[in-house]
Amino acid sequence: MTADAVDGFLAQWAKQRPDLDVSPMGVIGRLSRASRLLGRGLKDYFAAEGLESWEFDVLATLLRSGPPHTLSPKDLVAATMAGSAAMTNRVDRLVARNLVTREVDPGNRRRLLVSLTPEGLALVNHVVEGHVANERRLLEGLDPSEREEMERLLRKLLLSLGDTLPPTRP
């Protein structure tokens, strides 16, 4: 098998510190490099569609929530791992693009609700199809069984690090 950049780093460590087992650096280094490369592939696709990655994240989260494609800002923060200040800025920018609305909850006037507009719904439905195709392309170096094994191992790692399902709304 061909060596990757991380193999070079590990060889340097082995030469400089042969007393250390640096094998964890191989796993973490590869995860980190893969994350950056995959992130670049996602960013390029979204840019070609006129979106930032974070815009797709918010729009897709609203779409995934199901009709009426409405969530509170607090639910959006929990589902996207963005901070509340960042989410306020993101929603402001999406409102300005007429992709979402922000309105007072008629059932609780102290709560806001963010909803997809018809334009936002059409855009995210279009973009998500290409997004899935792009992700498939980014993973084409692995056969289906390898993707399944990677998914299983990454899930196991995430759970061991404390990753859990975000809370669901009633």
Side-chain angles (χ1 to χ4, degrees):
M1 179 173 277
T2 305
D4 64 10
V6 175
D7 288 320
F9 305 149
L10 295 175
Q12 290 172 327
W13 278 115
K15 184 177 179 183
Q16 297 304 314
R17 290 294 307 269
D19 59 310
L20 288 178
D21 172 13
V22 295
S23 60
M25 288 182 174
V27 174
I28 303 290
R30 285 185 175 94
L31 283 171
S32 178
R33 291 176 72 82
S35 177
R36 281 196 313 272
L37 293 168
L38 292 168
R40 185 181 316 144
L42 296 175
K43 183 179 178 181
D44 290 348
Y45 169 73
F46 293 131
E49 292 292 339
L51 287 173
E52 298 283 340
S53 296
W54 65 264
E55 289 174 310
F56 176 78
D57 190 26
V58 173
L59 297 174
T61 299
L62 289 167
L63 180 64
R64 284 194 326 263
S65 74
H69 309 298
T70 300
L71 292 171
S72 71
K74 181 179 177 182
D75 290 336
L76 276 170
V77 165
T80 61
M81 298 186 346
S84 59
M87 187 55 67
T88 298
N89 182 38
R90 290 173 181 190
V91 170
D92 287 346
R93 291 175 64 183
L94 290 168
V95 166
R97 290 190 61 187
N98 196 34
L99 298 175
V100 302
T101 61
R102 178 180 28 223
E103 299 172 344
V104 174
D105 182 347
N108 179 352
R109 300 206 44 84
R110 295 177 299 185
R111 186 172 112 131
L112 293 173
L113 295 175
V114 178
S115 303
L116 285 173
T117 63
E119 294 85 352
L121 181 61
L123 178 63
V124 71
N125 271 317
H126 163 74
V127 171
V128 73
E129 291 177 18
H131 173 56
V132 171
N134 184 49
E135 287 186 326
R136 186 170 288 110
R137 179 190 63 78
L138 290 169
L139 295 174
E140 67 188 8
L142 301 173
D143 67 41
S145 66
E146 290 170 328
R147 285 195 309 267
E148 287 176 17
E149 179 67 3
M150 179 174 281
E151 186 175 8
R152 184 188 70 75
L153 291 170
L154 289 172
R155 180 184 301 108
K156 183 177 181 178
L157 175 62
L158 288 171
L159 289 171
S160 77
L161 295 171
D163 194 34
T164 59
L165 284 171
T168 59
R169 63 186 174 121

